Amino acid sequence: MASAPPARDAVVDELLARPVRTDEVRTQAPVAPGLYAWWAPSAILPELAGPAHPTEPDLRLLYIGLATKLRSRLASNHLRRSGSSTLRRTLAGLLLDEQGYRTRWTDRVVLVDEDEARLTEWMTTNLRVSWCEHPTPRNVEGDIIRTLHPPLNVDHASGPALQVIKAARRRYYDSAGPRP
């Protein structure tokens, strides 16, 4: 008999357990499906501060996502390429002026290579991540987002941060100029 997938409360508890530094992802994140949560100190993006972490009170929740393979989603997508990461595109849009990020067109808008590296360094310096294995993360993602209220999520989200995030994503997209 197959075990039942973790209940919503168990997923939330695990996402709140212990955020790790991004350099620990390759050795600690499982090659399994699940959900993940990105966290930042309260001084980072203070206008978009999400809920405080229960045991590390300076950390605030930023974003919840899902993955079919947690390790590769976190390490290869979120910590490498803006073209395949909504989180990176959102962060780049929010930090566009402050960091001077530059974009270009491929089949989509991406950061120029040098700025991809700078954004990865920014994420490594400023963000932490936690995760929870789940066999069908898409089935619970909406409930988790509605429960935890991460400010950088648009799908399943609401509240004042929603328009700020939509505007940042639009600025990021527009920064590359017209589609060639």
Side-chain angles (χ1 to χ4, degrees):
M1 182 156 122
S3 62
R8 180 185 60 104
D9 290 347
V11 172
V12 167
D13 288 348
E14 200 162 337
L15 290 173
L16 298 177
R18 186 182 77 86
V20 301
R21 295 175 44 86
T22 60
D23 56 7
E24 298 178 68
V25 166
R26 287 196 186 281
T27 57
Q28 291 190 26
V31 181
L35 295 107
Y36 52 86
W38 285 93
W39 303 84
S42 55
I44 301 299
L45 305 172
E47 70 282 4
L48 294 169
H53 189 274
T55 60
E56 298 184 43
D58 186 48
L59 290 181
R60 300 286 186 264
L61 180 64
L62 288 180
Y63 184 81
I64 299 283
L66 61 87
T68 55
K69 293 180 182 166
L70 284 161
R71 184 181 305 161
S72 64
R73 180 73 178 140
L74 294 170
S76 298
N77 295 106
H78 288 312
L79 293 172
R80 192 180 302 162
R81 298 186 312 261
S82 57
S84 56
S85 170
T86 302
L87 173 64
R88 283 179 74 87
R89 291 189 301 272
T90 302
L91 290 170
L94 290 166
L95 299 168
L96 207 59
D97 294 334
E98 175 188 319
Q99 297 292 323
Y101 291 136
R102 296 156 297 157
T103 56
R104 64 185 172 88
W105 276 97
T106 59
D107 62 328
R108 63 190 67 187
V109 176
V110 297
L111 290 172
V112 300
D113 292 346
E114 176 185 315
D115 291 346
E116 288 282 13
R118 288 194 314 120
L119 178 55
T120 298
E121 180 59 33
W122 185 93
M123 291 173 72
T124 299
T125 300
N126 293 297
L127 303 185
R128 301 292 177 265
V129 64
S130 58
W131 54 81
C132 173
E133 290 184 42
H134 194 287
T136 54
R138 190 168 307 281
N139 292 351
V140 296
E141 180 190 32
D143 284 343
I144 301 302
I145 290 170
R146 284 186 289 273
T147 298
L148 294 177
H149 307 287
L152 300 191
N153 285 82
V154 170
D155 293 342
H156 312 291
S158 62
L162 187 59
Q163 294 311 313
V164 173
I165 299 309
K166 285 183 175 183
R169 289 181 183 178
R170 172 56 51 202
R171 286 185 55 238
Y172 169 83
Y173 184 83
D174 290 346
S175 70
R179 185 185 252 316

